[in-house]
Amino acid sequence: MLADVNLWPLIGVAIIIAGFVLRFNPMLVVIVTAIGTAMAAGFPLDKVLATIGTGFIKTRNLPLIILLPLAVIGLLERHGLRQHAQRWISSIKSATAGRLLIVYLAARQLTAAIGLTSLGGHPQMVRPLLAPMAEGATESRYGKLPAKVRDKLRAYSAATDNVGLFFGEDIFVAFGAIVLMTTFLREAGIEVEPIHVALWGIPTAVCAFAIHAWRLRRLDKTLTREMAAHQAALPVADSQKA
Amino acid sequence: MILSIQHLYYLVGFVLAVTAVMTLRDASNPKRFSSGLFWALYAAVFLVGERLPPTWVGVGAVVMAVIAGFGGVAGGRHAPRSDAEYLASAKRLGNKLFAPALAIPLVTMAGTLSASHLIIGGTPLLDPKNATLVSLGVGCVLSLALVCWLTRETPAQGMRESRRLTDALGWALVLPQMLGMLGLVFSDAGVGKAVAYVTTTYINMDMRFVAVAVYVIGMALFTIIMGNGFAAFPVMTGGVGVPVLVGVYHGDPAVMAAVGMLSGYCGTLLTPMAANFNLVPAALLEIDKNAVIRAQMPTAIALLIANIFLLNFLMFR
């Protein structure tokens, strides 16, 4: 490693961590970090702005997956998709939030592993279907949910989609990450077969499923306890009001 | 090629321009002018961005960040329908409501898988480099037609619903792109090189297990900073993986790459920098912005510890 590495750009890492820890607005934190880092690298002001502009244009593909489905999801919500998803799941007597999410986790991991990464996602699956179903399954068991429990179910639904996607897609040989890894290693003078990289992702994928599924089973137990406490507290709160 | 990602940029630019105009004309929005300007600037990035000088785009991005950072982006009032209306509609349409929702992922999947066969007169129908995103766009347009036909609504109502959800997301919608931009600025400025230099200079890697742990935890930490495992991989693998784990201890590079990248993904689960996976879903589900990260934290940390042992045992079989 060279001794004449410019260490000043590390100030960017410090700014971003401080910004998030002190809970400044993330947009301001990001833009201040970008300007600070580029200036620390010795760029003049017009190059700082041009670097930001070029980066902003290159990353235009990122919001597409969120923006494109909004019209459809919005219209379906206007016509009761969430309510229907809740009614549909409550007709399945054995459904619990934990079991539903375990099934989704398995399906998401397996489909991502054969390259079908777009079969899930937050705007098109989690908001209109998965989260309402998790809420519906819990509500049909225990009655009306307090906001805290409802928010927890939504957070777990989003988390389960992420875990399933991340630890499924790396097993798929044609996935971008595998290409990136083999290309980088080739440049470092090491030849590896893409299929070997994909196969060695499986042990971690299995662990990810075991750990997260275990936590989802515990979620069911926590829900039972929390809803019992909530219902026990209800009449007390009412009598205190009276 | 007949349908490229550029067409999607125009489509999204058009939707955002409509959102901007509707916002400017919405008297119920307390900050309609600054919000309208924010969405108009964002629409311009998609409609004409690649034709503008990069410096101008940079100025636009800074203005957008300043508007959002000082609370200038707000939503209008969107009257929800009554619970009875939702239920009546849900009863009337029943399982038909699932069809357009499931059509989006199914068309995306079908398009992605068949993209290499859809060639008309020697020109590919779908951009082969962005087959998934272009198929997603096609799926959304087809699904919008289907939902309008099912519910007897107009595409204009679709635009209003799209704006309702855009208002609910607010500036969080732009954050993934801002963070993606920051990642590119970091790499242009040489942040990766500096981190690799500091790590390899100040940590003693004479013990094999320590070196393995440094690689795994370093992948996660660097991903937490950069928001992206792809950015962390070259840094940690170039700095620790190749010279130490493979060079000194003769580990299997295929195992190192696979477990290393998945350790980076554990970092993705923990960081607000991965806005697309953590902050945007929280905004979309209308919950606390760190709630998704909190729900993922125990899984990510347990898996990271598992990865240290997996790498240590599988790499040196």
Side-chain angles (χ1 to χ4, degrees):
Chain A
M1 193 50 69
L2 302 167
D4 59 349
V5 175
N6 180 5
L7 293 180
W8 281 110
L10 285 177
I11 205 156
V13 177
I15 300 174
I16 193 116
I17 292 174
F20 274 119
V21 169
L22 297 174
R23 291 169 173 263
F24 284 114
N25 179 288
M27 288 281 261
L28 277 183
V29 174
V30 171
I31 207 77
V32 169
T33 309
I35 295 172
T37 310
M39 289 179 68
F43 294 1
L45 184 65
D46 60 332
K47 193 178 169 196
V48 171
L49 288 170
T51 310
I52 292 174
T54 313
F56 204 57
I57 292 294
K58 270 194 201 158
T59 50
R60 279 189 300 177
N61 56 345
L62 288 175
L64 291 182
I65 190 160
I66 301 159
L67 267 164
L68 288 169
L70 289 185
V72 172
I73 299 307
L75 277 175
L76 286 172
E77 282 185 5
R78 185 177 154 82
H79 287 274
L81 176 63
R82 294 162 73 106
Q83 288 76 5
H84 182 67
Q86 292 184 344
R87 281 196 328 149
W88 182 81
I89 195 86
S90 49
S91 69
I92 301 172
K93 293 285 168 267
S94 61
T96 65
R99 284 183 202 150
L100 170 78
L101 291 177
I102 291 174
V103 170
Y104 184 77
L105 177 67
R108 186 82 167 119
Q109 262 194 312
L110 290 173
T111 51
I114 52 170
L116 308 178
T117 49
S118 45
L119 267 182
H122 299 110
Q124 65 277 48
M125 262 320 190
V126 179
R127 170 164 171 144
L129 295 171
L130 189 64
M133 282 184 187
E135 290 169 41
T138 313
E139 209 164 78
S140 73
R141 258 168 204 259
Y142 306 107
K144 199 149 173 44
L145 307 179
K148 207 179 123 223
V149 172
R150 191 201 60 204
D151 288 0
K152 186 178 191 168
L153 287 171
R154 291 182 179 181
Y156 268 78
S157 304
T160 302
D161 188 273
N162 283 339
V163 172
L165 172 68
F166 290 2
F167 302 101
E169 67 181 3
D170 242 25
I171 302 169
F172 181 55
V173 188
F175 178 58
I178 308 266
V179 178
L180 180 114
M181 288 187 258
T182 48
T183 315
F184 179 83
L185 288 176
R186 181 173 310 129
E187 277 169 23
I190 299 168
E191 281 296 328
V192 290
E193 289 294 321
I195 185 79
H196 287 153
V197 179
L199 287 175
W200 286 112
I202 293 176
T204 301
V206 171
C207 287
F209 180 82
I211 292 168
H212 200 68
W214 181 75
R215 290 192 58 221
L216 290 171
R217 278 194 52 191
R218 289 224 2 220
L219 174 69
D220 274 342
K221 295 202 181 100
T222 333
L223 286 174
T224 312
R225 203 177 56 231
E226 281 180 358
M227 288 307 291
H230 172 69
Q231 270 146 7
L234 271 185
V236 179
D238 283 345
S239 61
Q240 274 169 350
K241 245 185 253 164
Chain B
M1 107 206 26
I2 299 171
L3 273 179
S4 77
I5 195 156
Q6 192 62 47
H7 295 107
L8 292 190
Y9 292 151
Y10 291 142
L11 177 63
V12 162
F14 169 75
V15 173
L16 286 169
V18 172
T19 302
V21 171
M22 289 201 293
T23 303
L24 282 171
R25 294 177 47 184
D26 177 4
S28 78
N29 186 334
K31 289 174 177 158
R32 61 172 157 154
F33 294 109
S34 55
S35 308
L37 175 63
F38 182 84
W39 297 119
L41 282 171
Y42 202 33
V45 167
F46 285 97
L47 291 173
V48 292
E50 74 284 352
R51 270 170 280 166
L52 294 174
T55 318
W56 289 22
V57 181
V59 172
V62 172
V63 172
M64 284 177 71
V66 169
I67 294 177
F70 289 101
V73 182
R77 235 179 322 168
H78 302 275
R81 304 175 92 188
S82 72
D83 287 352
E85 277 176 302
Y86 282 129
L87 274 178
S89 184
K91 275 211 177 100
R92 182 168 59 87
L93 293 163
N95 285 335
K96 282 185 202 154
L97 281 168
F98 288 142
L102 296 174
I104 297 178
L106 289 176
V107 172
T108 312
M109 192 184 87
T112 312
L113 295 179
S114 57
S116 54
H117 305 290
L118 294 173
I119 295 167
I120 299 172
T123 328
L125 179 62
L126 305 174
D127 182 351
K129 268 190 282 177
N130 296 295
T132 303
L133 278 175
V134 176
S135 308
L136 174 74
V138 174
C140 290
V141 173
L142 289 179
S143 180
L144 183 64
L146 179 61
V147 73
C148 285
W149 177 72
L150 265 181
T151 61
R152 311 269 177 271
E153 296 273 18
T154 59
Q157 185 63 37
M159 289 296 108
R160 282 193 280 275
E161 297 299 327
S162 172
R163 181 183 154 234
R164 171 172 67 85
L165 294 176
T166 305
D167 270 355
L169 285 166
W171 52 261
L173 186 55
V174 186
L175 195 57
Q177 199 178 343
M178 284 279 177
L179 288 162
M181 172 276 289
L182 182 62
L184 295 176
V185 171
F186 271 11
S187 89
D188 277 358
V191 174
K193 273 192 211 133
V195 169
Y197 175 77
V198 171
T199 329
T200 45
T201 312
Y202 294 104
I203 299 176
N204 180 357
M205 280 180 270
D206 288 344
M207 273 175 69
R208 198 180 78 183
F209 190 77
V210 172
V212 168
V214 165
Y215 180 66
V216 167
I217 296 169
M219 272 299 296
L221 283 180
F222 204 77
T223 305
I224 288 174
I225 293 167
M226 302 291 279
N228 185 340
F230 289 14
F233 185 80
V235 176
M236 287 310 296
T237 308
V240 180
V242 171
V244 182
L245 296 184
V246 177
V248 178
Y249 296 113
H250 309 292
D252 178 345
V255 184
M256 172 189 75
V259 179
M261 187 63 98
L262 290 171
S263 305
Y265 287 9
C266 293
T268 315
L269 294 174
L270 294 169
T271 179
M273 295 287 287
N276 246 351
F277 297 108
N278 297 331
L279 299 184
V280 171
L284 204 53
L285 296 168
E286 293 157 65
I287 53 180
D288 177 67
K289 73 177 177 350
N290 293 317
V292 178
I293 296 179
R294 278 199 302 273
Q296 287 164 172
M297 194 173 278
T299 302
I301 291 173
L303 191 55
L304 205 55
I305 295 168
N307 270 352
I308 296 178
F309 288 98
L310 282 176
L311 186 58
N312 193 48
F313 292 121
L314 298 177
M315 192 177 179
F316 307 105
R317 290 174 311 269

